[in-house]
Amino acid sequence: TDSSLESAVRRPQTATLRGGRGTAVGLISFHRRWLRQPPSRGVLWIRISFKGRKMEKFVNYSSVVIPIDRSNVDTDALIPKQFLKSVEKSGFGDNLFDEWRYLDQGEPGQDCSGRPLNTDFVLNKKAYKGGRILLARENFGCGSSREHAVWALRDFGIRTVIAGSYADIFFNNCFKNGVLPISLPSADIDALFAQDAESGPCSMDIDLDRQTATAESGQVYRFEIDGFKKQCLLEGLDDIALTLQHEGDIATYEQRRMREVPWLFEDLVS
């Protein structure tokens, strides 16, 4: 019971010593203090980690398509390991595809404005400047599970990735950060790359409501998406925002827990 548990916690401890001259029972004297824990502040800590950063709602838009004609683009290519020290979700856009984009070794906190550019890389070509759609081939986002890869895409301005397939963790991280990952059949991916190669930079219209990506030619590509993930993108809800929708239930649970196990919220001395 609660009372027996509490008394057991507070009961003095004894030890029996046996020797050649008899037996003695003595009190073990020690003092251990648990710091007073205030009532559980689950919602407070959630808000602190949130830091006011809200995921933007996904709105329909048009943009030039940035082609990365490669398979198996891994997360180390998206954002190299030396930039993983920060856990902030911003400030990674300048280092997206850092090793492909620049001719020197990038370092955290470095001013990228004067770094030598790889002029052959697509992100450095004026025709694709401001692009918010990235086109790639299968197994995009493979490698380590670093969420920084999606942060870098999002911070650069990419809101949609179109690829043949994705690594599972990267795919799910996209939805948690307001990026729409669209999967299309290989034939459609080939057609989009061919259009870029023949006609130059092409634009697409992304309509999440209707689940369509429409090319300049008028070709409509329809894509599938989980209904719940779609709604979260449209409403701008990440995991923290979803949790805070239940703030009242969390507070009610915390108060009930304090009544049921009050000793967890007191100074315990044994």
Side-chain angles (χ1 to χ4, degrees), residues 39-153:
S40 176
R41 298 181 179 181
V43 172
L44 174 61
W45 288 113
I46 292 170
R47 288 193 179 280
I48 290 174
S49 64
F50 192 49
K51 295 182 180 178
R53 294 190 302 258
K54 293 184 179 180
M55 190 173 83
E56 293 181 16
K57 295 181 179 180
F58 192 99
V59 296
N60 301 336
Y61 71 99
S62 299
S63 169
V64 66
V65 179
I66 302 172
I68 304 288
D69 196 357
R70 303 192 190 196
S71 301
N72 305 308
V73 175
D74 62 30
T75 53
D76 193 54
L78 287 165
I79 186 74
K81 60 185 180 300
Q82 66 265 30
F83 300 106
L84 306 186
K85 297 178 182 179
S86 173
V87 294
E88 298 293 331
K89 291 188 175 184
S90 60
F92 295 98
D94 285 342
N95 302 112
L96 176 67
F97 291 114
D98 195 87
E99 293 182 356
W100 298 354
R101 192 170 163 190
Y102 303 100
L103 298 176
D104 62 348
Q105 174 71 39
E107 296 297 338
Q110 182 180 6
D111 181 4
C112 295
S113 61
R115 295 177 62 189
L117 299 177
N118 175 8
T119 56
D120 291 329
F121 187 59
V122 63
L123 291 190
N124 294 325
K125 294 182 178 181
K126 186 176 180 180
Y128 297 98
K129 186 176 181 179
R132 302 173 65 199
I133 303 172
L134 189 71
L135 176 66
R137 295 194 179 273
E138 66 273 3
N139 202 29
F140 189 83
C142 57
S144 74
S145 58
R146 64 192 72 172
E147 193 172 359
H148 299 67
V150 182
W151 296 349
L153 286 168

Side-chain angles (χ1 to χ4, degrees), residues 1-264:
T1 64
D2 292 350
S3 59
S4 62
L5 177 57
E6 187 171 3
S7 63
V9 171
R10 297 177 182 273
R11 185 181 301 131
Q13 302 296 305
T14 61
T16 302
L17 304 177
R18 291 183 174 85
R21 296 185 179 181
T23 302
V25 177
L27 179 66
I28 299 175
S29 177
F30 66 90
H31 187 82
R32 177 179 295 169
R33 177 176 294 274
W34 281 262
L35 296 177
R36 174 177 290 277
Q37 297 294 326
S40 176
R41 298 181 179 181
V43 172
L44 174 61
W45 288 113
I46 292 170
R47 288 193 179 280
I48 290 174
S49 64
F50 192 49
K51 295 182 180 178
R53 294 190 302 258
K54 293 184 179 180
M55 190 173 83
E56 293 181 16
K57 295 181 179 180
F58 192 99
V59 296
N60 301 336
Y61 71 99
S62 299
S63 169
V64 66
V65 179
I66 302 172
I68 304 288
D69 196 357
R70 303 192 190 196
S71 301
N72 305 308
V73 175
D74 62 30
T75 53
D76 193 54
L78 287 165
I79 186 74
K81 60 185 180 300
Q82 66 265 30
F83 300 106
L84 306 186
K85 297 178 182 179
S86 173
V87 294
E88 298 293 331
K89 291 188 175 184
S90 60
F92 295 98
D94 285 342
N95 302 112
L96 176 67
F97 291 114
D98 195 87
E99 293 182 356
W100 298 354
R101 192 170 163 190
Y102 303 100
L103 298 176
D104 62 348
Q105 174 71 39
E107 296 297 338
Q110 182 180 6
D111 181 4
C112 295
S113 61
R115 295 177 62 189
L117 299 177
N118 175 8
T119 56
D120 291 329
F121 187 59
V122 63
L123 291 190
N124 294 325
K125 294 182 178 181
K126 186 176 180 180
Y128 297 98
K129 186 176 181 179
R132 302 173 65 199
I133 303 172
L134 189 71
L135 176 66
R137 295 194 179 273
E138 66 273 3
N139 202 29
F140 189 83
C142 57
S144 74
S145 58
R146 64 192 72 172
E147 193 172 359
H148 299 67
V150 182
W151 296 349
L153 286 168
R154 183 66 188 84
D155 196 55
F156 183 80
I158 303 296
R159 294 302 306 269
T160 302
V161 180
I162 301 175
S165 62
Y166 300 87
D168 289 341
I169 295 177
F170 175 87
F171 182 78
N172 288 313
N173 281 341
C174 284
F175 292 105
K176 298 174 187 293
N177 291 279
V179 174
L180 171 63
I182 295 176
S183 299
L184 293 180
S186 296
D188 291 340
I189 298 294
D190 290 340
L192 290 172
F193 275 118
Q195 184 177 356
D196 177 85
E198 295 169 3
S199 306
C202 303
S203 295
M204 294 192 79
D205 297 330
I206 304 298
D207 189 329
L208 179 55
D209 292 297
R210 297 185 177 184
Q211 297 178 208
T212 59
T214 305
E216 283 183 346
S217 62
Q219 175 68 42
V220 177
Y221 300 93
R222 301 189 181 278
F223 58 89
E224 298 296 323
I225 182 174
D226 175 81
F228 175 72
K229 290 183 170 67
K230 173 181 177 179
Q231 200 62 32
C232 287
L233 284 176
L234 290 172
E235 295 183 15
L237 298 174
D238 61 9
D239 288 347
I240 294 177
L242 283 169
T243 301
L244 288 175
Q245 287 186 326
H246 302 281
E247 181 175 349
D249 293 333
I250 295 171
T252 299
Y253 169 80
E254 291 172 342
Q255 294 300 317
R256 176 172 61 81
R257 189 66 175 164
M258 288 179 63
R259 294 192 299 270
E260 293 175 346
V261 287
W263 59 87
L264 296 180

